[in-house]
């Protein structure tokens, strides 16, 4: 199979899905362009700030992309490229896109609050508390994992470190002139992208070399500041400008593939059991963000829903953002599949999935005249920029969820954890920073399982919301059941493996997740079948 056919065919399928299934979802759920959004009627200048659709798409896409849609498909390619490709396309259209769009829509209709608030309104307060604990712990895992990933990347690629620091300064200047001085977004974007290129050039000319521990300390301070400052000064402009990096990388890779068009060398199907792992459920857990991810629901119902300017933008940002990420996942799969099995194994062993991806993108770009010595570092830089974006977005979301956990509408005076964003942020940063010392490799398996279970719980919350509001929810049921089956099976296997390895901490964590999921499923089942009153 020619890899160019795979990429172009998937793009055409995703466009058709957006114009048909996506629009059908919007019509069925009752997207209303005339309805005022929380960003307007709750505008506070810090978290609730309306943003234009292209800017918000940049933030949402940059936040959900991270390194997940790259590492997941490449790691899962051990099962063969055909099952990975099928899950990215089918999962992205009917699972991930519905999940992200639905989480964003239900949050908009609940004052921009998190999925936990949607659960409270449609299932119960106790379940909301349980979900909040689960979500916050998952975000702590995200922070711990991505602090390590970004710090390691900056140590390995000091060029990316310098460029990333310059990106931050550029974003602040961009945000100030566009949002406070009324500068044109179009003109600002042209200048901003030009300066983005200058930042990359300076980064390559003057790499910033610091130790890993110094970078970890710096990142923890940075995510604290980035999570308490108004979104218009850093989060919105930085994510918007960073999105051009990813767009450029995707376009460069596709153009390179048009001229290169290599055939897929990796085996189409390696079997139902590879390396001691069963295709079900591990394929669907490993690909993660490339098809569906629970973290997306936290972003959609956390930062994105508080900034959406018009309800009609939810289709582009929620559903469209997921399909763009699927395109990235297909390209990531091609970087693993166009080389021989031996080369793939060697690249994986010497730098992991990021090395496989960067090597592939760098090679593709040589076909359009970009030297490999520029293309590969550029790909690594783009990935690190998105990992950094996911990191500070996760910190802000952790603050939101912690505040919502202690929020009590029946009390006149709220807890200081609700009213003071600095305290909630400090607790979240300390928790994530403390866990980061464990190391990336030990944290990631926990994150993978909890992340996908979070997706199943978010689908469950969405089904309950649609049901209670008299809307069709049949499109949610199959994805929800499948994700629960995959994640719960994976958890059982994880418990067995860790019992055998004597890792009590991981066993306890997995058992807690399993118990929480069972309670929420039981309670929500009653709601969906109308066996209890709310």
């Amino acid at each position: 199979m020619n890899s160019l056919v795979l990429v172009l065919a998937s793009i055409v399928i995703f466009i058709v899905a957006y114009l048909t299934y996506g629009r059908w979802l919007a019509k069925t759920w009752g997207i209303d362009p005339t309805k005022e959004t929380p960003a307007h009627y709750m505008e506070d200048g810090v978290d609730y700030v309306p943003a234009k659709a292209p800017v918000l798409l940049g933030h949402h896409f940059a936040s959900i992309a991270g390194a997940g849609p790259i590492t997941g498909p490449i790691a899962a390619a051990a099962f063969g490229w055909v099952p990975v490709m099928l899950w990215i396309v089918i999962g992205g259209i009917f699972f991930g896109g519905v999940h992200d769009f639905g989480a964003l829509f239900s949050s908009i209709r609940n004052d921009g609050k998190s999925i936990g608030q949607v659960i409270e309104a449609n299932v119960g307060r106790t379940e909301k508390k349980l979900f909040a604990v689960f979500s916050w712990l998952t975000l702590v895992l995200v922070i711990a994992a991505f602090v390590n990933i970004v710090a390691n990347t900056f140590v390995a690629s000091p060029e990316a470190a310098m460029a990333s620091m310059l990106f931050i300064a550029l974003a602040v200047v961009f945000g100030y002139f566009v949002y406070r001085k009324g500068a044109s977004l179009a003109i600002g974007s042209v200048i901003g992208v030009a300066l983005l290129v200058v930042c990359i050039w300076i980064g390559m000319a003057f790499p910033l070399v610091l130790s890993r521990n110094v970078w970890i300390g710096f990142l923890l301070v940075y995510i604290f500041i980035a999570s308490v400052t108004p979104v218009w000064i850093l989060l919105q402009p930085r994510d918007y400008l960073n999105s051009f990096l990813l767009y450029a990388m995707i376009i460069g890779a596709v153009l390179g593939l048009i001229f290169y068009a290599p055939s897929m060398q990796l085996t189409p199907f390696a079997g139902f059991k590879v390396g001691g792992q069963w295709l079900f459920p591990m394929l669907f857990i490993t690909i993660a963000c490339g098809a569906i991810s629970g973290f997306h629901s936290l972003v959609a119902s956390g930062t994105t829903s508080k900034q959406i300017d018009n309800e009609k933008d939810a289709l582009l940002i929620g559903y469209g953002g997921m399909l763009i990420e699927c395109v990235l996942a297909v390209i990531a799969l091609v970087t693993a599949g166009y080389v021989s099995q031996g080369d793939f194994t060697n690249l994986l062993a010497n730098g992991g999935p990021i090395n496989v991806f960067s090597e592939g993108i760098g090679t593709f770009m040589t076909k359009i005249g970009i030297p490999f010595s520029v293309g590969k570092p550029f790909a690594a830089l783009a990935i690190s920029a998105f990992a950094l974006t996911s990191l500070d977005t996760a910190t802000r979301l952790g603050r939101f969820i912690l505040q919502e956990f202690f929020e009590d509408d029946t009390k006149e005076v709220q807890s200081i954890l609700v009213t003071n964003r600095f305290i909630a942020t400090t607790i979240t940063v300390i928790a994530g920073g403390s866990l980061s010392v464990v190391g990336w490799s030990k944290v990631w398996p926990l994150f993978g399982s909890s992340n996908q279970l979070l997706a199943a719980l978010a689908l469950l919350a969405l089904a309950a919301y649609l049901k209670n509001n008299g809307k069709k929810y049949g499109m949610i049921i199959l994805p929800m059941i499948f994700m629960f089956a995959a994640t719960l099976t994976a958890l059982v296997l994880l418990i067995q493996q860790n019992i055998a390895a004597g890792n009590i901490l991981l066993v306890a964590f997995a058992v807690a997740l399993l118990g929480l999921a069972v309670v929420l499923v039981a309670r929500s089942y009653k709601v969906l079948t109308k066996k209890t009153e709310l």
Side-chain angles (χ1 to χ4, degrees):
M1 172 64 76
N2 188 291
S3 59
L4 178 61
V5 174
L6 278 182
V7 173
L8 294 182
S10 66
I11 291 174
V12 171
I13 291 172
F14 290 137
I15 291 174
V16 172
Y18 178 85
L19 295 175
T20 56
Y21 193 54
R23 286 183 175 177
W24 178 79
L25 289 173
K27 182 179 180 180
T28 302
W29 290 344
I31 292 291
D32 185 358
T34 65
K35 195 175 182 66
E36 193 176 29
T37 62
H40 289 283
Y41 66 79
M42 296 182 69
E43 184 171 1
D44 61 4
V46 178
D47 299 317
Y48 288 86
V49 180
K52 295 179 180 178
V55 175
L56 190 54
L57 176 63
H59 157 67
H60 183 78
F61 183 40
S63 297
I64 65 172
I70 295 168
T71 58
I74 291 175
F79 291 102
W81 64 265
V82 170
V84 177
M85 183 71 187
L86 289 175
W87 177 237
I88 291 172
V89 174
I90 297 173
I93 293 172
F94 297 105
F95 289 62
V98 175
H99 168 273
D100 292 15
F101 186 18
L104 178 57
F105 170 66
S106 60
S107 177
I108 293 170
R109 291 295 178 92
N110 283 271
D111 297 333
K113 296 294 181 66
S114 73
I115 287 295
Q117 294 291 99
V118 176
I119 289 180
E120 180 180 19
N122 296 279
V123 183
R125 183 169 178 76
T126 301
E127 289 71 20
K128 174 239 182 175
K129 293 278 188 181
L130 292 172
F131 183 84
V133 171
F134 180 86
S135 302
W136 188 78
L137 289 174
T138 301
L139 289 168
V140 168
L141 289 171
V142 172
I143 293 169
F146 278 82
V147 160
N148 277 281
I149 290 172
V150 175
N152 291 342
T153 304
F154 283 174
V155 171
S157 303
E159 300 88 354
M162 173 58 87
S164 293
M165 297 303 103
L166 294 174
F167 287 174
I168 294 172
L170 172 61
V172 172
V173 174
F174 181 90
Y176 175 75
F177 279 101
V178 171
Y179 291 103
R180 285 298 178 267
K181 292 297 181 182
S184 164
L185 177 62
I187 295 175
S189 298
V190 172
I191 297 173
V193 170
L195 291 176
L196 208 60
V197 175
V198 173
C199 291
I200 295 172
W201 178 81
I202 294 176
M204 291 185 174
F206 305 98
L208 182 58
V209 180
L210 294 174
S211 71
R212 180 175 177 278
N213 288 337
V214 171
W215 275 123
I216 288 179
F218 172 84
L219 289 171
L220 293 176
V221 173
Y222 165 74
I223 59 176
F224 175 85
I225 297 172
S227 302
V228 297
T229 51
V231 293
W232 61 265
I233 191 66
L234 178 59
L235 184 142
Q236 281 184 356
R238 189 216 44 212
D239 294 357
Y240 173 64
L241 291 175
N242 275 351
S243 66
F244 285 98
L245 277 180
L246 194 52
Y247 297 148
M249 187 175 69
I250 292 175
I251 292 171
V254 172
L255 289 176
L257 280 171
I258 290 175
F259 290 99
Y260 187 17
S263 297
M264 297 294 279
Q265 302 294 323
L266 203 64
T267 181
F269 180 61
F272 289 102
K273 190 174 185 180
V274 177
Q277 301 287 344
W278 288 98
L279 185 145
F280 181 87
M282 296 316 299
L283 178 84
F284 308 98
I285 301 300
T286 305
I287 294 177
C289 305
I292 181 171
S293 166
F295 178 63
H296 294 191
S297 70
L298 299 183
V299 175
S301 66
T303 51
T304 305
S305 61
K306 294 176 177 61
Q307 302 174 66
I308 200 155
D309 184 49
N310 189 300
E311 207 170 85
K312 66 178 173 58
D313 298 338
L315 172 61
L316 171 67
I317 296 166
Y319 196 74
M322 181 65 229
L323 296 187
I324 296 174
E325 184 159 325
C326 289
V327 173
L328 179 61
V330 171
I331 293 173
L333 174 62
V334 169
T335 63
Y338 88 103
V339 295
S340 67
Q341 181 67 52
D343 289 340
F344 173 61
T345 303
N346 288 334
L347 287 169
L348 207 55
N350 294 285
I354 300 299
N355 187 43
V356 175
F357 182 78
S358 301
E359 186 87 8
I361 297 299
T363 301
F364 300 158
M365 287 185 173
T366 61
K367 306 305 175 184
I368 54 174
I370 297 176
F372 182 78
S373 59
V374 174
K376 184 175 180 180
F378 173 71
L381 169 64
I383 297 167
S384 67
F386 282 93
L388 187 59
T389 297
S390 297
L391 178 59
D392 60 35
T393 298
T395 308
R396 186 179 288 262
L397 294 174
R399 189 246 295 177
F400 288 160
I401 290 173
L402 200 59
Q403 289 178 308
E404 287 184 4
F405 179 85
F406 289 99
E407 193 175 57
D408 189 345
D409 294 336
T410 64
K411 294 182 179 179
E412 291 186 4
V413 179
Q414 297 290 332
S415 163
I416 192 171
L417 286 168
V418 178
T419 58
N420 191 315
R421 67 180 185 272
F422 299 101
I423 294 178
T425 303
T426 300
I427 294 172
T428 303
V429 171
I430 289 176
S434 301
L435 194 60
S436 68
V437 300
V438 175
W440 173 84
S441 61
K442 293 181 180 177
V443 171
W444 194 258
L446 283 176
F447 164 69
S449 299
S450 60
N451 181 48
Q452 296 306 82
L453 182 54
L454 189 61
L457 294 173
L459 286 170
L460 187 152
L462 176 59
Y465 166 76
L466 294 173
K467 171 79 173 179
N468 287 337
N469 285 274
K471 299 178 184 296
K472 294 181 180 178
Y473 64 98
M475 74 291 286
I476 308 296
I477 299 303
L478 179 59
M480 180 183 71
I481 292 174
F482 184 85
M483 291 309 298
F484 270 121
T487 52
L488 295 180
T489 304
L491 278 176
V492 171
L493 294 175
L494 189 62
I495 291 171
Q496 291 177 338
Q497 292 170 3
N498 284 291
I499 288 176
N503 197 329
I504 303 303
L505 178 62
L506 296 185
V507 172
F509 197 94
V511 169
L513 292 175
L514 197 62
L516 176 61
V518 170
V519 171
L520 285 170
V521 168
R523 277 288 302 173
S524 300
Y525 176 77
K526 295 178 181 178
V527 174
L528 293 176
T529 54
K530 296 183 177 179
K531 290 186 177 179
T532 186
E533 293 184 0
L534 295 174

